[in-house]
Amino acid sequence: MGYPKWYTIDRVRPEEGELLGSLHAEHKRCGKENCRCASGDEEDLHGPYYYRRWRDSEGNQRKEYVPKSDVEEVRAAIQKRRRRLKRERKERAEWMNRGEGKGRPRDYWKRKNRPSPLEQAQRLVDTLGTVL
């Protein structure tokens, strides 16, 4: 199975037991003239039929029928991947906030974490005093 180019990053690619995409229930018309679904009313349509949708390696949307017997298994596999990605995003945010990432932690720019203008001026005077 090919993956979109943004899935080449290992942390985004689905792991064992995980699936890309989302699960949708659809109601359909069969096309027979005398069928109840010919009226077009939502409650008269056939279904629900379940489909998993995702994007392939070229970025095109794909759709795959999921039998009713497999719906819970597919839903669990999709949720497993979503939970892992959410957990990893949270861990990366915490890592950045600890200042271990490139640059400054996210909350550095909040006023309470910045030195006051007087402290900045005093640091400048101290630095200049040691240099001169």
Side-chain angles (χ1 to χ4, degrees), residues 11-130:
R11 65 180 164 79
V12 181
R13 181 176 292 136
E15 293 178 351
E16 186 68 31
E18 296 179 346
L19 288 174
L20 291 173
S22 55
L23 193 64
H24 299 271
E26 297 182 10
H27 292 79
K28 304 267 184 183
R29 277 193 205 115
C30 65
K32 295 179 184 174
E33 289 180 20
N34 296 327
C35 184
R36 63 184 166 93
C37 67
S39 69
D41 293 335
E42 183 70 30
E43 62 272 358
D44 291 338
L45 297 178
H46 299 286
Y49 298 107
Y50 292 93
Y51 293 90
R52 180 174 70 97
R53 293 179 182 264
W54 74 97
R55 294 202 178 265
D56 64 9
S57 58
E58 288 81 38
N60 299 320
Q61 191 175 59
R62 304 284 300 179
K63 180 167 110 171
E64 173 185 55
Y65 174 73
V66 178
K68 283 188 181 182
S69 59
D70 296 342
V71 166
E72 290 306 318
E73 181 182 333
V74 169
R75 184 177 283 134
I78 291 170
Q79 287 300 322
K80 180 179 178 183
R81 178 173 179 274
R82 288 182 179 175
R83 282 191 302 269
R84 179 180 60 87
L85 290 178
K86 185 176 182 178
R87 182 180 63 247
E88 289 176 359
R89 280 193 298 270
K90 183 178 177 184
E91 290 170 358
R92 279 193 304 277
E94 290 171 355
W95 180 72
M96 285 297 294
N97 281 333
R98 287 194 304 267
E100 297 174 19
K102 184 177 180 182
R104 301 197 184 272
R106 283 186 184 169
D107 55 359
Y108 172 82
W109 301 108
K110 293 181 182 173
R111 179 137 330 258
K112 64 181 181 177
N113 292 325
R114 281 190 269 164
S116 69
L118 290 175
E119 292 172 342
Q120 289 176 345
Q122 186 61 44
R123 284 185 191 169
L124 182 61
V125 168
D126 292 343
T127 305
L128 289 174
T130 57

